[in-house]
């Protein structure tokens, strides 16, 4: 029974959401609209589950003095302070009745003064590692690697105004060799073809997995048999 | 130490210094590069231009502070354009940290540059909603189930520009600026394809290649990275000469991007010269 009831719920919900999309009126479509409304409520529970899981994982790491447990302490302090400040609107000029995103509130300060610079710093570091990795790893070792190398250099130069400056002097009959044109061609043709192939493959995988879940063939989401 | 050996052993700190200098110096001397909108970016500008004044635009800032240097200039340019055309803009985000970006755009661009525009009538902050594609799906069916109130807690029914909206179909166009999932892809799949609402937007240089397959059938146009933003800014300055006096962030930031790209290409060439010399030597042996 513990397995059959979730399977029945999944089957009915899945079928209603699939059929309700194609049937645009009647009770089936009303049910489809209601299920869409429930989504707004279910997402709230996802927050509680996500927060609960974060606390569980990091408290365990701290309790066991696991490797790098001090980082877990930082995570827990950051999580708790932000949660309390946001939930109880501490430091919000308008008090309890004010919006959580009110300017000059403590939560806004945490976002502007701590989160924004930290996130920007982490992302900015990427430029240094990309440059170092390009120098060491981007080698014309094989034919395929050479094609990748040439394409990368064309995109790097063609996606900046200097690309046009470098090859802008070419006569009109050779304009296809203009770096911005070459970069656009790479993006519009080989890139699009590759991306479409990946996307169609993923979409087929999603359809197959969804059908397996709806018809109860795939049951991993129910957890282990106890 | 011989040349190939020196290239092989080049200290990574030298590379880091080169990159730091290539980003920092152009920010000081601010070189200007002329840019023009490519068709894929011009299509976004033209769509904004072709909408009648007063059209409702949903501008989804689906990114956080880490990618703001690339995507904020797009948001600013779109807001400047939209408000100049008399459109009404609803700001929204599918990213929890996108709420801070909305506040930044609202305070630094809308309130600072257009003080006569009224909140609730000309623009609105719809805040953040979790759920990605699922949230968009619900908004397609019933917008006010998902977003009963704006980010400041005011009921949507009390805001003139939102009172009559029932679903996403009441927006003339959806613009998403995205740094990943959920983002523009979800807006296309769950709103554009299903509701027939025109969808367009921008993405970081990393994300943009994944979005090209949707152009032009499912997506009006896309701004790819800082270059895309710079192209939009140049189209805006061409169409609205009064914007030339404003600071155009992407145009300014193209300097560091140009120099750093050239430095990376030179490093790649240098690395390959070292590799080829080394290989030649080993073949001789």
């Amino acid at each position: 029974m513990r397995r059959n009831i979730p399977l029945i719920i999944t089957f009915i919900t899945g079928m209603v959401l699939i059929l309700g999309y194609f049937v645009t009126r009647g009770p089936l479509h009303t049910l489809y609209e209601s299920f869409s409304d429930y989504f707004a409520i279910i997402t709230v529970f996802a927050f509680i589950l996500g927060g609960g899981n974060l606390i569980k994982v990091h408290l365990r790491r701290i309790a066991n003095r696991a490797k790098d447990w001090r980082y877990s302490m930082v995570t827990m302090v950051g999580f708790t302070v932000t949660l309390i400040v946001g939930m109880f609107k501490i430091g919000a000029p308008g008090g309890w009745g004010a919006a959580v995103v009110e300017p000059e509130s403590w939560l806004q300060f945490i976002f502007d003064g701590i989160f924004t610079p930290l996130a920007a710093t982490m992302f900015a570091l990427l430029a240094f590692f990309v440059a170092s990795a390009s120098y060491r790893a981007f080698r014309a070792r094989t034919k395929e690697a050479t094609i990748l190398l040439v394409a990368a250099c064309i995109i790097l130069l063609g996606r900046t105004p200097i690309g046009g400056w470098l090859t802008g002097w070419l006569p009109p009959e050779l304009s296809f060799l203009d770096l911005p044109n070459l970069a656009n061609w790479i993006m519009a043709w080989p890139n699009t073809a590759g991306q479409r192939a990946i996307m169609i493959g993923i979409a087929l995988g999603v359809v197959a997995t969804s059908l397996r879940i709806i018809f109860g063939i795939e049951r991993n989401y129910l957890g282990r048999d106890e | 130490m011989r040349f190939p050996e020196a290239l092989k052993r080049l200290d990574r700190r030298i590379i880091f210094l080169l990159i730091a200098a290539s980003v920092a110096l152009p920010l000081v001397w601010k070189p200007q590069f002329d840019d023009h909108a490519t068709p894929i970016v011009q299509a976004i500008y033209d769509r904004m231009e072709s909408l009648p004044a007063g059209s409702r635009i949903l501008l989804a800032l689906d990114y956080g502070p880490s990618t703001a240097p690339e995507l904020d200039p797009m948001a600013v340019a779109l807001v400047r354009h939209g408000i100049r055309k008399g459109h009404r803009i609803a700001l929204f985000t599918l990213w929890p940290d996108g709420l801070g970006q909305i506040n930044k755009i609202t305070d630094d661009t809308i309130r600072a540059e257009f003080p006569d525009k009224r909140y609730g009538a000309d623009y609105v902050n719809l805040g953040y909603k979790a759920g990605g594609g699922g949230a968009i799906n619900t908004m397609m069916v019933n917008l006010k189930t998902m977003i009963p109130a704006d980010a400041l807690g005011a009921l949507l029914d009390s805001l003139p520009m939102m009172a009559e909206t029932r679903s996403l179909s009441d927006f003339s166009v959806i613009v998403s600026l995205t740094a990943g999932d959920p983002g523009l892809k979800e807006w296309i799949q769950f709103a554009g394809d299903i509701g027939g609402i025109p969808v367009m937007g921008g993405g970081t240089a990393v994300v943009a290649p994944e979005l090209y397959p949707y152009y032009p059938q499912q997506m009006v146009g896309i701004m790819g990275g800082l270059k895309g933003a710079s192209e939009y800014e140049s189209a805006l300055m061409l169409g609205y000469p009064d914007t030339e006096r404003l600071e155009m962030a992407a145009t300014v930031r193209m300097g560091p991007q140009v120099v750093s790209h050239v430095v990376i290409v030179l490093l790649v060439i240098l690395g390959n010269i070292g590799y080829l010399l080394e290989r030649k030597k080993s073949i001789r042996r």
Side-chain angles (χ1 to χ4, degrees):
Chain A
M1 190 59 83
R2 277 181 64 193
R3 293 205 140 236
N4 287 344
I5 290 175
L7 285 174
I8 293 166
I9 293 172
T10 307
F11 177 77
I12 293 171
T13 312
M15 291 311 285
V16 166
L17 286 171
I18 290 175
L19 297 174
Y21 173 70
F22 296 103
V23 181
T24 53
R25 59 189 69 202
L28 196 64
H29 192 72
T30 311
L31 208 54
Y32 168 79
E33 290 190 343
S34 301
F35 279 7
S36 298
D37 291 350
Y38 299 160
F39 182 83
I41 302 161
I42 294 166
T43 49
V44 178
F45 288 98
F47 272 108
I48 298 167
L49 282 174
N53 195 42
L54 183 103
I55 293 169
K56 197 175 132 189
V57 168
H58 287 281
L59 283 184
R60 193 186 296 151
R61 284 169 62 90
I62 295 166
N64 296 339
R65 295 285 192 272
K67 190 174 179 275
D68 297 331
W69 63 275
R70 287 175 185 85
Y71 295 129
S72 293
M73 285 279 283
V74 175
T75 306
M76 284 313 298
V77 170
F79 178 77
T80 314
V81 170
T82 311
L83 188 72
I84 291 170
V85 166
M87 227 161 148
F88 299 104
K89 297 179 182 175
I90 297 171
W96 267 97
V100 74
V101 291
E102 208 181 19
E104 292 172 30
S105 67
W106 285 17
L107 191 71
Q108 195 60 38
F109 168 76
I110 289 173
F111 185 85
D112 292 337
I114 301 172
F115 182 71
T116 299
L118 285 175
T121 305
M122 286 300 291
F123 204 67
L125 287 174
L126 201 64
F128 295 96
F129 294 114
V130 165
S132 180
S134 304
Y135 178 72
R136 290 178 204 293
F138 240 162
R139 297 281 191 267
R141 288 196 174 90
T142 59
K143 240 186 293 173
E144 291 82 359
T146 312
I147 293 170
L148 191 68
L149 184 76
V150 172
C153 289
I154 291 170
I155 295 287
L156 273 170
L157 294 174
R159 299 294 292 161
T160 59
I162 205 162
W165 179 77
L166 283 173
T167 51
W169 51 270
L170 285 168
E173 58 270 20
L174 292 176
S175 66
F176 64 93
L177 289 174
D178 191 22
L179 278 171
N181 287 344
L182 276 177
N184 285 338
W185 181 84
I186 290 170
M187 295 297 278
W189 295 98
N191 165 65
T192 301
Q195 294 286 355
R196 278 203 178 130
I198 294 167
M199 282 162 66
I200 292 168
I202 291 171
L204 290 173
V206 168
V207 171
T209 309
S210 303
L211 288 175
R212 282 173 64 85
I213 291 171
I214 289 168
F215 292 115
I217 302 163
E218 176 69 58
R219 298 178 183 197
N220 280 345
Y221 70 97
L222 293 172
R224 286 173 298 175
D225 271 322
E226 296 285 332
Chain B
M1 203 187 304
R2 293 179 62 200
F3 184 61
E5 192 68 14
L7 283 180
K8 200 177 165 186
R9 293 191 180 185
L10 184 66
D11 194 321
R12 65 178 179 163
R13 282 169 294 191
I14 294 173
I15 298 173
F16 291 170
L17 269 175
L18 279 172
I19 290 296
S22 68
V23 172
L25 292 177
L27 282 176
V28 177
W29 99 72
K30 291 186 178 170
Q32 292 284 318
F33 296 95
D34 285 334
D35 214 343
H36 67 279
T38 49
I40 200 165
V41 174
Q42 187 66 42
I44 301 174
Y45 180 88
D46 292 344
R47 180 57 64 110
M48 291 284 277
E49 274 293 296
S50 66
L51 293 173
S55 297
R56 267 192 219 98
I57 293 168
L58 184 80
L59 178 58
L61 305 185
D62 301 323
Y63 61 94
S66 59
T67 47
E70 257 183 305
L71 299 172
D72 268 355
M74 296 181 194
V76 170
L78 286 161
V79 163
R80 281 172 175 166
H81 190 187
I83 293 185
R84 270 181 176 75
K85 273 295 290 180
H87 301 325
R88 294 176 292 170
I89 299 173
L91 293 135
F92 177 72
T93 180
L94 292 168
W95 285 44
D97 40 354
L99 201 50
Q101 302 311 127
I102 294 179
N103 289 340
K104 203 167 120 191
I105 298 295
T106 311
D107 293 343
D108 300 350
T109 306
I110 303 179
R111 287 201 188 112
E113 293 179 19
F114 306 95
D116 55 319
K117 293 294 169 188
R118 285 188 306 122
Y119 182 83
D122 301 304
Y123 68 97
V124 68
N125 177 358
L126 297 181
Y128 156 71
K129 288 293 165 201
I136 300 170
N137 196 40
T138 306
M139 287 157 75
M140 277 302 296
V141 176
N142 188 348
L143 182 83
K144 284 170 189 166
T145 301
M146 200 67 200
I147 314 172
D150 71 352
L152 306 170
L155 288 174
L156 291 200
D157 287 329
S158 68
L159 304 170
M161 77 167 270
M162 295 303 295
E164 286 167 19
T165 51
R166 282 193 301 276
S167 79
L168 285 177
S169 305
D170 293 315
F171 286 93
S172 303
V173 68
I174 294 172
V175 190
S176 166
L177 305 177
T178 177
D181 292 334
L184 187 50
K185 199 186 277 183
E186 280 71 19
W187 287 106
I188 294 168
Q189 290 172 348
F190 292 93
D193 287 355
I194 293 173
I197 311 159
V199 178
M200 55 194 195
T204 57
V206 176
V207 169
E210 291 174 26
L211 298 164
Y212 268 73
Y214 295 105
Y215 176 77
Q217 275 85 12
Q218 293 155 283
M219 182 173 68
V220 176
I222 183 173
M223 292 177 266
L226 204 58
K227 175 77 164 67
S230 161
E231 288 178 20
Y232 198 92
E233 285 179 352
S234 59
L236 188 63
M237 285 190 278
L238 203 66
Y240 296 85
D242 66 302
T243 56
E244 278 179 36
R245 64 185 166 78
L246 301 168
E247 188 183 303
M248 293 291 175
T251 308
V252 172
R253 289 173 196 167
M254 278 318 285
Q257 178 149 319
V258 167
V259 180
S260 56
H261 278 203
V262 170
V263 167
I264 290 174
V265 169
L266 289 175
L267 283 170
V268 169
I269 293 169
L270 212 60
N272 276 281
I273 291 172
Y275 167 72
L276 292 172
L277 289 172
E278 190 79 12
R279 201 168 71 167
K280 208 171 153 188
K281 208 169 99 183
S282 64
I283 290 168
R284 256 192 229 145
R285 274 193 215 131

